[in-house]
Amino acid sequence: MRTQVAIIGAGPSGLLLGALLHKAGIANVIVEQRSAEYVLGRIRAGVLEQGTVGLLDQVGVSTRLHREGLVHGGVELCFGGARHRIDLHALTGGKTVTVYGQTEVTRDLMEARAATGLATIYEAEGASLHDFDGSHPQVRFNKDGVTQTLDCEFIAGCDGYHGVSRQSVPAGALQTFERIYPFGWLGVLSETPPVSHELIYSNHERGFALCSMRSMTRSRHYVQCALDDKVERWSDDTFWDELRRRLDPVAAEALVTGPSIEKSIAPLRSFVAEPLRFGRLFLAGDAAHIVPPTGAKGLNLAAADVGYLARALAEHYAEKSDAGIDHYSQRALRRIWRAERFSWWLTSLMHKFPETGAFGQRMQAAELDYLVHSTAAATAMAENYVGLPMEW
Ligand code: APR
Ligand code: PHB
């Protein structure tokens, strides 16, 4: 088998990259270790920046997103028993975010890809990457018990944090940066209407809480929990009681509860690998970096990475220029670090940190007070929340 770009991973990064390359006339094959159903079974965040929506528009995969997505012009911060609105729209000169689940983005990209007839090899086991430091890279994998070889010109490692791509780079060539937070998020999906028509991020003495949504009839809520907590310890009632306690009285009263459809605990981590290019191998998305979910930057950052990468590869093929490829790592990392900073900052501001004590709590209270009473501070938050521009 032969193609121009071999993409490892059919998550949002790999699928969007495949669509952008196809649009630029570049042949690509996706090699994914799981089944499509498994990939669609993962529940992740659901806030899209305008830049992400723009990339989906570019590849013609945004009809349902524009029909069903909820456009939000603000977010609410809850602390000290009251809510305060950050007017994203007014503070950023008219920008908004779109609430539309990552699962739906993935489904739309999968369906569009199937319609183009581009090859996606699901349930490809034991992928290994070869000769990406030379001129003839190869990806080998097992499909239905048969070893297959995919010859290509470039490999895009879009295979997430646990993928094989980053692990294939010689240890000495890679530098990693990491922060593990001392808590997790317990997330619950339910067929209930959202508490408020915008997202509520709550800083409470019992810990952080977030009221998000997937539609006007489906909610996604989170509460900060201990790292070693177990989902089995949280009955639906325990969860709703805890969430209610962490909200202001008006939101607590408005909270509609119901049976959970999904319940899971995720740890919080900040992680960056540098650089993102090794000869003919590029890393993008979660394979290269992780942000804590506060602020929902994960998918948006992945989309920006593949936006840069697709443009760089298009320059290589159409204009015979390697300038974009040569700058990919530096360009993407600059934006990645700024999104890492914002996610770390919002995480630090909103959660209960066991080790910082009463002083840390007062610092958070002072910063929240400043944030909702200073246009400068609110603007800084708003422009990051809606997404920094993709500079070329
Ligand atoms: N071979 C083939 N595929 C692999 C391998 C492998 N060895 N290892 C992992 N994969 C696949 C996974 O099964 C998964 O479908 O790569 C895909 C990676 O997808 P994601 O983890 O969703 O990563 P990415 O596409 O970069 O998406 C980033 O998703 O994880 C969230 O918060 C993150 O929102 C962000 C977005
Ligand atoms: C979500 O809807 O899952 C979500 C929204 C906003 C966040 C994180 C997660 O900051």
Side-chain angles (χ1 to χ4, degrees), residues 32-273:
E32 163 63 52
Q33 71 177 0
R34 305 284 192 172
S35 66
E37 297 68 44
Y38 182 95
V39 173
L40 288 174
R42 292 188 288 229
I43 297 183
R44 302 248 168 90
V47 179
L48 307 183
E49 296 172 359
Q50 275 181 209
T52 305
V53 173
L55 288 168
L56 291 163
D57 286 337
Q58 243 183 63
V59 295
V61 184
S62 56
T63 312
R64 193 160 70 96
L65 155 70
H66 287 298
R67 194 173 60 232
E68 295 176 13
L70 305 170
V71 176
H72 285 192
V75 286
E76 297 187 311
L77 297 178
C78 176
F79 57 94
R83 269 178 287 156
H84 307 261
R85 183 167 189 265
I86 301 289
D87 191 336
L88 301 172
H89 188 266
L91 291 164
T92 60
K95 293 204 174 122
T96 55
V97 292
T98 303
V99 174
Y100 188 70
Q102 177 172 321
T103 313
E104 303 314 312
V105 174
T106 310
R107 190 191 310 279
D108 295 345
L109 284 165
M110 274 181 181
E111 282 176 8
R113 186 172 175 91
T116 62
L118 286 170
T120 312
I121 301 155
Y122 287 102
E123 296 175 309
E125 289 165 9
S128 57
L129 281 47
H130 304 270
D131 301 332
F132 50 81
D133 45 355
S135 53
H136 297 97
Q138 273 188 348
V139 178
R140 290 180 211 144
F141 55 90
N142 269 297
K143 174 69 185 168
D144 300 329
V146 181
T147 302
Q148 307 222 24
T149 301
L150 175 59
D151 290 292
C152 57
E153 290 157 15
F154 294 100
I155 303 176
C158 298
D159 48 354
Y161 182 71
H162 299 287
V164 66
S165 301
R166 195 180 67 254
Q167 288 165 25
S168 306
V169 173
L174 198 72
Q175 198 178 1
T176 60
F177 304 83
E178 186 169 50
R179 163 118 210 232
I180 313 250
Y181 298 87
F183 39 73
W185 276 19
L186 168 68
V188 166
L189 189 67
S190 60
E191 217 60 71
T192 56
V195 180
S196 167
H197 60 274
E198 290 176 341
L199 269 59
I200 305 174
Y201 290 86
S202 179
N203 173 312
H204 190 271
E205 60 188 18
R206 296 179 65 90
F208 170 76
L210 168 60
C211 302
S212 181
M213 64 196 74
R214 292 291 173 273
S215 69
M216 294 317 287
T217 55
R218 185 174 272 211
S219 294
R220 179 71 170 160
H221 293 105
Y222 300 92
V223 293
Q224 175 182 352
C225 65
L227 257 184
D228 60 356
D229 216 335
K230 298 275 174 290
V231 175
E232 305 73 62
R233 283 197 230 153
W234 290 84
S235 68
D236 288 356
D237 286 345
T238 321
F239 174 78
W240 292 118
D241 288 346
E242 187 57 39
L243 176 63
R244 196 179 291 107
R245 281 195 198 104
R246 297 184 189 189
L247 300 176
D248 62 284
V250 178
E253 182 64 34
L255 179 69
V256 179
T257 65
S260 62
I261 308 172
E262 193 264 0
K263 201 186 279 163
S264 53
I265 293 182
L268 273 72
R269 172 200 307 269
S270 297
F271 172 85
V272 182

Side-chain angles (χ1 to χ4, degrees), residues 365-386:
E367 185 158 4
L368 285 163
D369 182 22
Y370 176 54
L371 190 58
V372 300
H373 291 104
S374 154
T375 308
T379 306
M381 173 173 172
E383 70 177 1
N384 280 279
Y385 195 89
V386 300

